[in-house]
Amino acid sequence: MNAPMLQAAALDVSLGGKLVVDGVDCTVPVGALSALVGPNGAGKSTLLRALAGVVPVRRGTVLWDGRDLLRLPRRERARIAALAEQESGTDTPLTVRDVVSLGTMPHRPLLGFGGSEDDADVARALHSAGVPELADRLFSELSGGQRQRVQLARALAQKPRLLLLDEPTNHLDPHAQLTTLHLMRRLAGEGMAVIAALHDLTHAAAHCDHVIVLAAGAVVAAGDPRSVLTAELIRAVYGVEAHVLEHPATGRPLIALSLSTEAEPARGSSQQSYFGSSA
């Protein structure tokens, strides 16, 4: 029996009349940590929201283990997929524990309240995200980095099989970044499918099993980070020069970037023709 996986095909998403995600195909198996990379405005956040069913798709399908994820009832979909977004806020005076407890709602009986099992799930999620000491703090009083980790804890409390993370290392100091990346790898190793939008290309190359490169809403390359994140691709997509080095301790790729006076990021359909098929 094949392992379950996420499969998106010919996915289009429009926001405000503008096509933001354009014919995206991608596949992420359980047990893999996949990075979603691309310039600002490439459509990374919108694609994650579409995969989670938060924004409607204009065309295309999102399958989980062969089932149409977007047609499932909301509670059932929430038992499969959890999204931790980059920006979050509330005017309601919720504690961190309250926020993380929201993640347990798909598993509660309708009109039911949390019990000891939910409390244990919340405690585990807070510990995994490295923020148990924040449990009684007001969410509105936290720093950006603390909020980011609390949102990760909320998603973990949801006990998903598919974890979608929008810039999970944003606002974090180096230690917290590495701790979060190691957590993502551990979750994938335990049988979860994890997709993370990342800006840091070295993080994508050094920690992920698979990378999907988006530009102007379209996938321009996908595959193993070593073969995809080349100097040529980075120059075409980001308009910068890249030197792909080797980490002296791990042997994984390190990517050093510098400005180029000649290279400009490719745009639109020219990217797809330049890189060819992204399958």
Side-chain angles (χ1 to χ4, degrees):
M1 183 176 179
N2 293 330
M5 64 175 64
L6 174 77
Q7 295 173 299
L11 205 62
D12 286 354
V13 181
S14 293
L15 297 177
K18 179 184 178 182
L19 187 64
V20 179
V21 172
D22 183 6
V24 163
D25 298 321
C26 64
T27 300
V28 178
V30 160
L33 172 56
S34 184
L36 184 62
V37 304
N40 289 334
K44 301 185 296 297
S45 297
T46 301
L47 176 57
L48 290 178
R49 289 167 62 83
L51 294 174
V54 175
V55 296
V57 303
R58 192 177 78 174
R59 181 177 68 94
T61 58
V62 178
L63 302 181
W64 173 261
D65 198 17
R67 303 170 69 196
D68 190 334
L69 190 61
L70 302 185
R71 291 184 180 272
L72 293 178
R74 185 174 179 180
R75 280 173 61 85
E76 188 174 354
R77 185 171 67 240
R79 294 187 192 110
I80 296 172
L83 170 67
E85 300 194 67
Q86 184 179 174
E87 298 296 335
S88 58
T90 177
D91 295 327
T92 306
L94 297 177
T95 67
V96 165
R97 183 178 286 106
D98 293 332
V99 171
V100 177
S101 294
L102 294 174
T104 67
M105 292 183 66
H107 301 280
R108 298 179 192 172
L110 289 174
L111 304 179
F113 296 93
S116 59
E117 185 176 346
D118 287 341
D119 292 342
D121 289 337
V122 169
R124 279 192 294 269
L126 287 166
H127 178 76
S128 293
V131 288
E133 74 284 357
L134 301 179
D136 297 319
R137 293 272 304 276
L138 285 176
F139 182 75
S140 60
E141 295 177 352
L142 301 182
S143 69
Q146 290 171 327
R147 290 190 187 197
Q148 196 78 357
R149 299 179 81 177
V150 170
Q151 286 297 330
L152 173 58
R154 180 200 54 74
L156 294 177
Q158 205 168 317
K159 296 190 288 190
R161 300 172 68 194
L162 169 64
L163 183 60
L164 306 164
L165 305 172
D166 192 4
E167 295 294 341
T169 57
N170 195 28
H171 303 303
L172 301 184
D173 62 45
H175 182 271
Q177 288 182 10
L178 292 175
T179 299
T180 298
L181 290 162
H182 282 284
L183 171 62
M184 290 157 51
R185 281 212 61 82
R186 178 172 66 79
L187 293 170
E190 292 173 353
M192 192 180 292
V194 184
I195 308 177
L198 298 173
H199 267 306
D200 191 312
L201 295 179
T202 285
H203 284 167
H207 296 275
C208 296
D209 307 300
H210 179 257
V211 63
I212 301 165
V213 184
L214 274 189
V219 174
V220 297
D224 177 80
R226 288 182 185 274
S227 60
V228 170
L229 295 177
T230 63
E232 182 183 29
L233 179 137
I234 293 169
R235 183 186 306 114
V237 172
Y238 290 91
V240 296
E241 293 299 327
H243 301 277
V244 183
L245 312 172
E246 184 176 287
H247 194 289
T250 66
R252 297 281 295 190
L254 287 174
I255 299 176
L257 303 176
S258 60
L259 284 175
S260 168
T261 57
E262 298 179 0
E264 291 292 337
R267 298 297 178 201
S269 60
S270 63
Q271 291 171 315
Q272 292 173 291
S273 62
Y274 181 81
F275 294 111
S277 172
S278 60

